[in-house]
Amino acid sequence: MEIKKGIAVSPGISIAKSLVIDAEDYRIPRREIMPSQRLVETQRVRNAFKDAISELTKIEAVPKQPEGGKIKDIFAVHLRFLHDRSLRKRITDLVHSDLVSAEYAVSAAMREIASHFTSVKDAYISERAADIYDIERRLLRQLLGKKREDIEHLTEEVAIVARELSPTQAAGFNKEFVKGIATDAGGRTSHTAIVARSLGIPAVVALEDLTETVSGGDTVIIDGNRGIVIVNPDEETIRQYEEYSRDFLELEHKLDSIREKPAITRDGTKITLLGNIEFPDEAELVLRKGGEGIGLYRTEFLYLNRTTEPSEQDHHEAYAETVGVFKDRPVIIRTMDLGADKYTQSRRFAPEPNPFLGLRSIRFCLQNIMMFKTQLRAILRASVLGQVKIMFPLITNLQEVMQVKFILRDVMEDLDEESIPYNRDIEIGIMIETPSAALTAYTLAREVGFFSLGTNDLIQYALAVDRGNELVSMLYSAADPAVLRLIRTVLQDAHKAQIDISICGEMASEPEYIMLLLGMGVRTISIAPPMIPEIKQIIRSVTMENCNNVAREVLTMNTERQISNYLRNAARKILPEAF
Ligand code: PEP
Ligand code: MG
């Protein structure tokens, strides 16, 4: 039994057999074979080595290209490994002794070797683990060939274990079978974590070397409340976790019962609780969990998981479905936020050296006007169906706001010409998620009807910490005084300009920040649907006096540690059972 500690990003407990996948979606379950199949499987191992060697030899023979020398050296090392008889024997021995498939034996043996490499302190040697993975993939490609199994077509319950998952992969998971997610990489606000939270799948990220410990078919417990993963737990641990999981579900069930009650503080201040969604069918869940509308619809997920661009009708159907659930409540549709870690499957965009600082989000839209206009037309058409608002992401300056408003007017004129109805007073808002937008908030506020604080990006850009990089995840914190000062500035400017402001970053779904946010003046919160009951419960347990005191204290503090300790203690005093 091995216990690994990571970052809890999506609550809940799962106990299931693992399915280890890599970036190429190979799933290598522990497949057992009959003794009579041993010969066939060992022959498959030998063939895979032979084919991998001939493939590599061919590549090596290609005349030198720029950088060719270095690449040739790498391939020469790979070839030496593949020619090593003891490696092949290790794998075929595994097939014989453990009665497992060729794929599983290759994966298990190579992962064991890689873990020896990574445990060596010398950086040069530990980095060689990447070569071992490369060789493993090459062998698996030979073995799996066209039989590569598709994780979208699972038939049994699994816990997904991966080095890293893209939001596209996570969004494709079938919730019926994917019971938990555990990854080596990632942070609390990486988009994969956000998708897991939305789907209600327990998840732990930033486990660093979990994939070197787990083989497909191992039992794993994923504790998305405490950020723990237990590999091959003993019976007593499984029993304890089954009990804990039952208690947790019971608590969730109890919380669901406050669905009909308002999100109101003990002294009568009403807070509006909205849901963040990625797919239209989640709107139902927001309603079921007691949300009062949609505060953030991440429409870029319409582009992921498909190879062609969605048509205006595809957009329209998705928006109409969402608005159909919340006819007289606000539905804030955010225009596509593609780029950074969210690429379409066809990867029309060439890889960028710094994608989070690159052609992302509104910048991408402003360079792809036709695609942008298609979406705007669909949003405007849906605007007659309910209380649709439109929101633009990643604004960094006033010109961008003027440009998007200009394009929107253009689209309105087109609709006028075609006599297509739309709401010409549709409210326009922007996300405040870059320091430049936060610092010029008052100027921007005079051009729009509302702001939404996107703290996930605001934190990463303010602190220069990649939101998905586990190596710097300890530096990524909403409790940093610099972040809180930016948030305070934006709240003050929005109030001064008399425009609405909400918060839709993950910070708002972390219980310890609720009192602080309320004390700083936040009155509208948008979060992942499964979090709505818990946050409502906290709101209903505090008074504005508590909240104002917390905000006053915190804003005098100068270090992240002081602030986060203070917030945890303050929350514990008010709601001891939740912390
Ligand atoms: C944010 O950045 O806080 C946000 C809500 O947007 P996303 O997580 O989709 O980048
Ligand atoms: Mg963002």
Side-chain angles (χ1 to χ4, degrees):
M1 166 160 128
E2 192 154 348
I3 301 175
K4 296 263 176 198
K5 180 90 189 81
I7 303 174
V9 295
S10 180
I13 314 291
S14 93
I15 306 171
K17 294 255 187 266
S18 71
L19 179 62
V20 182
I21 61 172
D22 69 11
E24 295 183 40
D25 281 1
Y26 288 131
R27 46 177 291 201
I28 316 296
R30 184 189 171 96
R31 188 164 63 79
E32 276 161 27
I33 57 168
M34 306 291 288
S36 58
Q37 292 172 296
R38 276 193 287 220
L39 267 183
V40 176
E41 289 300 298
T42 48
Q43 192 51 44
R44 288 184 67 222
V45 172
R46 282 190 204 100
N47 289 345
F49 270 81
K50 203 168 87 221
D51 294 344
I53 288 171
S54 87
E55 190 180 82
L56 259 183
T57 316
K58 266 190 226 137
I59 302 173
E60 228 212 342
V62 173
K64 271 201 175 174
Q65 297 148 355
E67 276 289 300
K70 237 192 248 150
I71 294 172
K72 262 180 132 60
D73 288 349
I74 295 171
F75 286 158
V77 172
H78 289 196
L79 269 173
R80 266 205 303 283
F81 259 103
L82 288 168
H83 279 298
D84 180 352
R85 280 176 182 280
S86 65
L87 172 64
R88 210 170 318 173
K89 184 163 178 321
R90 196 165 169 161
I91 296 170
T92 48
D93 282 355
L94 211 57
V95 172
H96 269 281
S97 59
D98 290 17
L99 288 176
V100 288
S101 66
E103 290 87 342
Y104 182 79
V106 164
S107 193
M110 300 302 270
R111 266 151 215 260
E112 200 191 322
I113 298 171
S115 77
H116 286 313
F117 276 89
T118 40
S119 63
V120 175
K121 286 260 167 330
D122 182 305
Y124 176 79
I125 296 179
S126 65
E127 277 164 19
R128 298 285 67 76
D131 288 315
I132 303 293
Y133 288 129
D134 233 36
I135 299 168
E136 179 201 355
R137 255 193 300 269
R138 191 175 295 283
L139 288 169
L140 288 176
R141 262 199 304 270
Q142 303 299 339
L143 282 167
L144 293 165
K146 294 201 172 42
K147 280 202 300 149
R148 204 168 125 170
E149 291 172 86
D150 187 351
I151 53 167
E152 281 171 36
H153 300 117
L154 295 168
T155 51
E156 56 186 45
E157 293 189 352
V158 292
I160 298 284
V161 174
R163 160 98 216 104
E164 185 164 33
L165 291 169
S166 69
T168 316
Q169 281 175 309
F173 288 159
N174 180 343
K175 218 192 129 200
E176 196 187 330
F177 296 115
V178 175
K179 294 294 161 195
I181 296 175
T183 62
D184 293 351
R188 196 179 149 74
T189 67
S190 51
H191 283 104
T192 304
I194 289 172
V195 173
R197 199 149 45 242
S198 276
L199 294 173
I201 301 175
V204 179
V205 302
L207 289 148
E208 291 180 358
D209 59 356
L210 179 73
T211 46
E212 280 148 37
T213 317
V214 181
S215 298
D218 286 349
T219 298
V220 288
I221 295 175
I222 297 179
D223 178 346
N225 298 343
R226 301 179 190 137
I228 289 171
V229 171
I230 304 173
V231 184
N232 290 323
D234 55 33
E235 273 174 24
E236 176 57 16
T237 310
I238 293 185
R239 200 195 52 73
Q240 283 169 357
Y241 260 97
E242 280 169 349
E243 198 177 309
Y244 176 39
S245 171
R246 266 195 303 276
D247 292 350
F248 180 74
L249 288 176
E250 224 168 83
L251 180 71
E252 264 200 326
H253 197 63
K254 235 194 317 196
L255 278 176
D256 275 352
S257 64
I258 66 166
R259 175 180 179 270
E260 302 296 342
K261 296 188 179 148
I264 190 164
T265 63
R266 273 169 46 210
D267 47 357
T269 298
K270 167 80 179 79
I271 307 298
T272 304
L273 267 184
L274 308 171
N276 292 350
I277 61 167
E278 285 75 41
F279 301 98
D281 59 2
E282 285 174 282
E284 243 344 293
L285 182 63
V286 174
L287 191 67
R288 258 201 334 270
K289 292 282 175 183
E292 302 165 63
I294 305 296
L296 168 66
Y297 177 0
R298 291 184 166 97
T299 59
E300 57 277 9
F301 281 84
L302 266 173
Y303 294 78
L304 307 173
N305 275 342
R306 58 191 298 157
T307 45
T308 55
E309 194 187 315
S311 65
E312 181 182 324
Q313 194 53 25
D314 294 332
H315 280 283
H316 183 71
E317 280 166 19
Y319 306 153
E321 183 181 341
T322 311
V323 180
V325 178
F326 285 106
K327 280 200 194 63
D328 6 291
R329 307 293 313 169
V331 172
I332 301 180
I333 302 181
R334 176 177 78 178
T335 58
M336 59 183 131
D337 185 8
L338 289 169
D341 59 344
K342 288 180 288 199
Y343 290 94
T344 62
Q345 270 189 354
S346 52
R347 272 198 178 251
R348 256 168 293 123
F349 327 98
E352 296 171 276
N354 285 306
F356 274 100
L357 302 181
L359 190 61
R360 174 188 173 191
S361 197
I362 201 68
R363 302 167 181 184
F364 172 79
C365 291
L366 291 174
Q367 288 193 27
N368 290 274
I369 305 267
M370 290 322 291
M371 194 167 160
F372 190 32
K373 280 187 166 178
T374 301
Q375 177 172 36
L376 295 178
R377 271 178 73 98
I379 298 175
L380 285 174
R381 281 175 53 204
S383 68
V384 292
L385 305 174
Q387 268 200 52
V388 173
K389 303 184 189 191
I390 184 165
M391 177 158 78
F392 300 102
L394 208 81
I395 294 293
T396 52
N397 59 47
L398 182 64
Q399 290 100 283
E400 281 167 347
V401 178
M402 304 314 275
Q403 259 177 297
V404 295
K405 283 173 71 175
F406 182 82
I407 296 168
L408 187 67
R409 267 198 302 276
D410 222 26
V411 176
M412 286 180 170
E413 276 170 24
D414 291 345
L415 292 176
D416 284 336
E417 272 170 29
E418 295 166 54
S419 306
I420 296 175
Y422 64 91
N423 172 12
R424 63 186 67 242
D425 298 320
I426 186 168
E427 253 193 81
I428 300 169
I430 57 172
M431 292 198 63
I432 302 290
E433 50 183 348
T434 60
S436 59
L439 294 169
T440 54
Y442 187 65
T443 317
L444 302 175
R446 285 186 297 185
E447 291 299 328
V448 295
F450 67 93
F451 282 165
S452 190
L453 271 162
T455 49
N456 304 339
D457 278 314
L458 188 60
I459 297 168
Q460 92 164 335
Y461 293 125
L463 303 179
V465 177
D466 182 339
R467 62 195 265 191
N469 182 342
E470 73 281 13
L471 302 177
V472 286
S473 59
M474 61 290 185
L475 300 174
Y476 183 98
S477 171
D480 193 288
V483 172
L484 296 180
R485 272 170 218 173
L486 284 174
I487 294 176
R488 183 179 54 177
T489 301
V490 179
L491 284 163
Q492 285 172 343
D493 285 352
H495 291 151
K496 201 159 70 179
Q498 297 186 323
I499 65 163
D500 290 341
I501 178 159
S502 61
I503 176 165
C504 63
E506 300 306 304
M507 174 189 189
S509 62
E510 291 185 47
E512 58 266 43
Y513 289 110
I514 298 303
M515 281 197 281
L516 172 64
L517 290 171
L518 265 48
M520 285 170 85
V522 170
R523 294 292 177 269
T524 304
I525 287 177
S526 190
I527 51 180
M531 305 304 297
I532 293 173
E534 186 178 352
I535 297 302
K536 188 190 276 186
Q537 171 74 358
I538 293 171
I539 292 168
R540 292 175 57 82
S541 311
V542 300
T543 63
M544 278 315 297
E545 196 189 341
N546 301 142
C547 300
N548 294 337
N549 287 340
V550 166
R552 200 172 313 113
E553 283 289 321
V554 162
L555 291 170
T556 63
M557 295 178 183
N558 293 321
T559 68
E560 190 276 340
R561 178 168 304 176
Q562 200 185 1
I563 295 172
S564 51
N565 284 342
Y566 175 86
L567 289 178
R568 211 165 305 123
N569 285 334
R572 216 173 267 151
K573 267 190 219 143
I574 302 287
L575 256 187
E577 70 279 13
F579 295 89

